[in-house]
Amino acid sequence: MATVLDLGVDLGTASVVIYGKGKGVVLNEPAVIAFDRDTRNVLAVGEEARRMIGRTPGNIVAMRPLGDGMIADFELVSAMLRYFVTKVAGKRLLGGPRVLISVPAGVNEVERHSIMTSLFEAGARRTQMIEKPIAAAIGAGLPIGEAYGQMICDIGAGVTEIAVMSLGRVIVRDTVKIGGDQFDDAIIRYIRRKHNLLIGELTAEDLKINIGSALPRNEQFYMEVTGRNLISGLPKVMRITSDEITEALDEPLQALLEAIHAVLEHTPAELVADIFESGIVLSGGGALLGGLCEAVALALKVECHLAEDPQEAVARGCGLTLENWSEFGQFLNDRRKR
């Protein structure tokens, strides 16, 4: 029988990351599920389901059950969570794991209750929730318990959560629908407009990861992609440059910078002074975009730092809270126990 682990879970739009108490990150898989449209039977979850996107017959759907920080399908989210939790903690009749989960800000109370219920169905003996900015700050190693302003931007696939904290509480926050998905969409639109070439979501993501940058690179990078020529309707291979991707990303990048700036404008002066001294911290998978920290620092005239393993920061914060409950448990706003 598998060892019982208390789990910290980051339920994101693009990925689910799970931290096992005393073990570190034990799972990091795409938040994708494939199912039969007619029977609703689940066929694949995680990386296996992600590989099916855009490649399935009509009766099979491969999709993310969360979009733009909101739940698109309760049943599929529950099935996905049950699969991942069972995969990590194993099946047992008694003594299941305690789970601390962070969910996107766009999830409402009804959806939160549904998520908690699905965790119990997966075998959790107790569940609690933690705000994503708080978890990200703990995972990034910020001293959030001090009377000192800290600013963190957690850039996910569907949304970015921007928060200013002091004494373990969020003072000013905003959630904007800008993230990795919007970066991918901007690349698709740009290549379609400039080259009359239609590429898929996975190709756009590969371009972003491999040659994408928020600022022009000193050295030009290239990547060949295959898409459909919109004039001839035939497949076509084209070389795309890193400067083109930088140009494509400019619109969502400017929107992100404006959102961060707006939060700073609404932050009390003393906390702004603290942030100017300590800098802005970026977490989340979207923070891995090349040159993003430098772009934020250049635009806002404030130092910017990338959290260690930014994609895992929220899950790590959940796990560290479980491991150091006496220190971090006080920062949970939602203390409901079931």
Side-chain angles (χ1 to χ4, degrees):
M1 182 178 292
T3 303
V4 175
L5 294 174
D6 286 342
L7 304 176
V9 180
D10 174 18
L11 176 61
T13 301
S15 61
V16 176
V17 185
I18 299 180
Y19 184 107
K21 183 178 178 180
K23 299 288 187 179
V25 173
V26 293
L27 182 141
N28 185 346
E29 290 206 33
V32 182
I33 189 166
F35 63 98
D36 188 303
R37 190 195 301 271
D38 301 324
T39 64
R40 299 285 289 184
N41 289 337
V42 174
L43 305 176
V45 182
E47 183 58 41
E48 183 182 355
R50 179 183 178 273
R51 290 194 295 268
M52 295 183 182
I53 293 176
R55 298 185 174 97
T56 59
N59 66 311
I60 297 176
V61 179
M63 62 172 285
R64 294 178 184 168
L66 291 96
D68 294 335
M70 302 174 67
I71 292 179
D73 190 304
F74 295 114
E75 183 182 344
L76 294 179
V77 168
S78 296
M80 183 176 69
L81 273 175
R82 284 196 299 271
Y83 174 85
F84 285 138
V85 170
T86 302
K87 181 177 180 178
V88 169
K91 295 181 179 180
R92 58 185 57 81
L93 297 176
L94 297 171
R98 177 174 59 166
V99 178
L100 181 61
I101 185 169
S102 175
V103 299
V107 174
N108 61 39
E109 284 303 313
V110 174
E111 294 169 333
R112 287 170 184 261
H113 179 75
S114 297
I115 290 170
M116 301 286 245
T117 301
S118 70
L119 288 170
F120 282 115
E121 291 174 355
R125 74 177 187 272
R126 188 170 117 188
T127 64
Q128 289 181 268
M129 287 192 175
I130 183 172
E131 291 185 84
K132 194 173 284 274
I134 295 290
I138 293 172
L142 300 183
I144 64 171
E146 298 179 4
Y148 188 84
Q150 305 279 352
M151 186 175 198
I152 192 157
C153 300
D154 187 72
I155 307 170
V159 297
T160 292
E161 296 194 39
I162 309 163
V164 174
M165 292 165 286
S166 180
L167 288 173
R169 292 290 178 263
V170 175
I171 309 300
V172 185
R173 75 186 305 164
D174 191 18
T175 301
V176 292
K177 290 186 177 181
I178 304 168
D181 288 347
Q182 287 71 35
F183 292 156
D184 295 343
D185 290 343
I187 293 171
I188 292 171
R189 291 196 306 270
Y190 178 89
I191 292 177
R192 179 173 185 157
R193 183 176 64 250
K194 183 173 181 180
H195 298 295
N196 286 313
L197 187 72
L198 181 63
I199 62 172
E201 295 176 10
L202 298 183
T203 301
E205 185 179 22
D206 286 342
L207 283 166
K208 177 186 66 180
I209 292 171
N210 292 316
I211 64 172
S213 177
L215 295 173
R217 296 178 180 270
N218 294 330
E219 180 183 355
Q220 186 85 282
F221 289 88
Y222 304 88
M223 181 174 165
E224 288 191 344
V225 299
T226 303
R228 186 174 76 242
N229 188 303
L230 292 173
I231 297 175
S232 68
L234 299 175
K236 183 178 180 180
V237 177
M238 179 165 288
R239 174 186 277 194
I240 305 298
T241 70
S242 55
D243 281 351
E244 287 180 304
I245 302 304
T246 299
E247 185 179 345
L249 294 173
D250 184 65
E251 183 179 343
L253 176 62
Q254 293 306 316
L256 176 62
L257 294 173
E258 288 172 9
I260 299 173
H261 184 259
V263 170
L264 284 171
E265 283 187 325
H266 290 89
T267 299
E270 292 297 331
L271 296 182
V272 170
D274 294 339
I275 293 166
F276 185 80
E277 182 177 320
S278 62
I280 299 169
V281 176
L282 303 184
S283 65
L288 292 168
L289 176 67
L292 185 55
C293 258
E294 292 81 356
V296 171
L298 185 65
L300 302 177
K301 306 297 188 290
V302 181
E303 281 191 28
C304 185
H305 312 284
L306 189 65
E308 182 182 356
D309 296 324
Q311 189 182 25
E312 299 177 351
V314 172
R316 188 165 59 248
C318 293
L320 290 174
T321 300
L322 289 171
E323 292 175 350
N324 303 277
W325 193 259
S326 59
E327 180 180 358
F328 298 127
Q330 60 182 310
F331 301 138
L332 272 67
N333 281 345
D334 186 347
R335 300 298 299 275
R336 292 173 296 174
K337 299 178 184 179
R338 292 176 169 82

